[in-house]
Amino acid sequence: MKNSWKDSIYLQREELARMLSEPLGQLAERCAPAWGNREALDSVLAEHFSSIPHCSFLYCVGPDGVQVCNNVGENGILPGYLGRDRSQRPYMKEAVPVWGFLLSDAYIGLNQHRPSLTALQVVRCDGQTLGYLGADFDLRNLPVTSTLYDEPGYWRQVKGDPAIRGTVFQQSRVESRMDGNIEQALSILEELLTQCGVFQCQIHFSSSQATIWTVNDPFRYRILDHEALNDPDICLIYPTCAYPAEAHIPQHAIGRILKTMQALRLTDPTIYLRMASINIFNGMVSVTFSCDGSHYMPHVEFLMKDTAFWFGS
């Protein structure tokens, strides 16, 4: 099975914890004899700062979350942090596991307002908890060890603006310029998708435009307005391109998908299609209706549903 974004986060955190727990445990042991002596703690952290990979700042706090030494960074001791109350910070509100090491959830830092996380290591002496060694990390500096997740291939439904949903039966579709020319517009889009290297297309039926991305220039989008979608000559400026072999939507299915979208746009005057998208590599189709509800689904599943499914018999 493909990893979800939550699976990827778990694997990334697992690897970071493995990387950090041992050096922080060793440094906590060095902090114990110096506990209660601010200058000695500062010196220990400064001397061993480089032993904690990718760290931004080190410090120590008491069990109450109040800092008992200064911050230490890559440039040495940073005065002015003694007595800082960290008890209300997100990482201090998480329960430290019994083994004494916590890798916090990510949070937005107070100073630079960037995603960060903190590792806490319990400092003990003769079985008694003295406090915690804290290590702050900027997510920008941490290595990414897990593979990038894939979008799930199952049907997902997302509800939109409640204000729109609440008034849906008080509205009726107003014919757009694309509606009056919908067969020709969708034929042009079919040509671009199947013959001209367009791999993603967002169709805005109500505003009579489409946004497209091409395999030859994937980082820039292009907007086709009503005039372009009414002129087959637009296909002249997009060179013929072989349909990608790695596409998850087969070439022959594109026309059927667009025809189904046409039916969803025109069949019902109240519940009608406002926007739709196709991504041939994801193999997914999305549809957003007048009630502002959106559906993301595999193209095969989309083609299995007729208008009776969407609007009732």
Side-chain angles (χ1 to χ4, degrees):
M1 293 180 63
K2 296 179 179 179
N3 288 337
S4 68
W5 64 270
K6 290 185 178 181
D7 294 330
S8 293
I9 289 174
Y10 176 82
L11 293 172
Q12 174 74 359
R13 288 175 55 80
E14 187 178 58
E15 178 60 23
L16 291 173
R18 184 200 62 77
M19 180 192 308
L20 299 172
S21 61
E22 183 175 347
L24 280 172
Q26 294 173 351
L27 182 53
E29 291 178 1
R30 293 188 173 97
C31 289
W35 204 266
N37 185 327
R38 188 266 302 168
E39 292 183 353
L41 275 178
D42 286 351
S43 297
V44 170
L45 297 184
E47 181 181 355
H48 298 283
F49 178 84
S50 61
S51 68
I52 310 302
H54 314 294
C55 184
S56 297
F57 301 106
L58 290 173
Y59 49 84
C60 292
V61 297
D64 58 357
V66 175
Q67 199 159 324
V68 297
C69 67
N70 288 302
N71 277 14
V72 173
E74 61 181 353
N75 295 321
I77 299 170
L78 303 172
Y81 288 89
L82 178 65
R84 183 181 184 185
D85 186 358
R86 295 178 178 267
S87 61
Q88 299 306 305
R89 297 300 293 144
Y91 46 86
M92 294 303 300
K93 295 183 178 182
E94 297 185 43
V96 177
V98 293
W99 51 87
F101 174 82
L102 168 73
L103 185 64
S104 77
D105 292 334
Y107 58 90
I108 301 300
L110 286 177
N111 293 330
Q112 297 181 312
H113 305 286
R114 296 209 296 253
S116 309
L117 57 78
T118 293
L120 292 178
Q121 174 65 52
V122 173
V123 180
R124 293 189 175 98
C125 182
D126 297 329
Q128 299 296 315
T129 296
L130 301 176
Y132 304 95
L133 167 64
D136 289 347
F137 300 87
D138 187 326
L139 262 60
R140 295 182 182 183
N141 299 329
L142 291 174
V144 176
T145 58
S146 63
T147 57
L148 186 63
Y149 70 94
D150 291 322
E151 274 295 298
Y154 53 79
W155 187 330
R156 288 190 292 171
Q157 181 177 358
V158 181
K159 293 182 179 180
D161 188 342
I164 295 176
R165 298 202 310 271
T167 59
V168 65
F169 293 108
Q170 301 172 27
Q171 65 182 351
S172 181
R173 180 177 63 85
V174 175
E175 184 169 292
S176 68
R177 290 180 294 178
M178 182 185 288
D179 292 343
N181 183 51
I182 195 166
E183 289 192 2
Q184 178 156 302
L186 295 182
S187 292
I188 289 171
L189 290 175
E190 180 181 0
E191 183 72 9
L192 294 173
L193 283 160
T194 60
Q195 304 296 326
C196 301
V198 172
F199 70 90
Q200 178 163 323
C201 175
Q202 288 184 343
I203 309 168
H204 304 264
F205 292 94
S206 297
S207 57
S208 302
Q209 63 179 359
T211 308
I212 60 173
W213 288 258
T214 66
V215 292
N216 293 324
D217 192 15
F219 300 114
R220 297 179 178 87
Y221 63 78
R222 289 168 172 81
I223 297 175
L224 305 180
D225 59 14
H226 168 67
E227 186 178 1
L229 292 172
N230 194 35
D231 188 352
D233 277 341
I234 191 68
C235 299
L236 289 173
I237 61 176
Y238 291 92
T240 300
C241 180
Y243 195 77
E246 61 270 34
H248 284 193
I249 299 180
Q251 189 175 18
H252 63 79
I254 298 296
R256 290 180 58 206
I257 291 171
L258 292 170
K259 282 290 185 184
T260 303
M261 290 177 177
Q262 177 180 341
L264 296 180
R265 172 66 182 175
L266 301 179
T267 296
D268 190 282
T270 302
I271 306 297
Y272 53 86
L273 193 61
R274 285 198 300 110
M275 186 176 72
S277 72
I278 301 172
N279 187 297
I280 67 173
F281 293 117
N282 280 50
M284 300 291 284
V285 171
S286 77
V287 288
T288 300
F289 289 91
S290 54
C291 59
D292 209 35
S294 298
H295 299 260
Y296 300 84
M297 68 196 76
H299 72 280
V300 173
E301 196 166 2
F302 177 72
L303 290 174
M304 292 171 61
K305 310 299 183 185
D306 57 16
T307 54
F309 170 81
W310 298 101
F311 306 123
S313 301

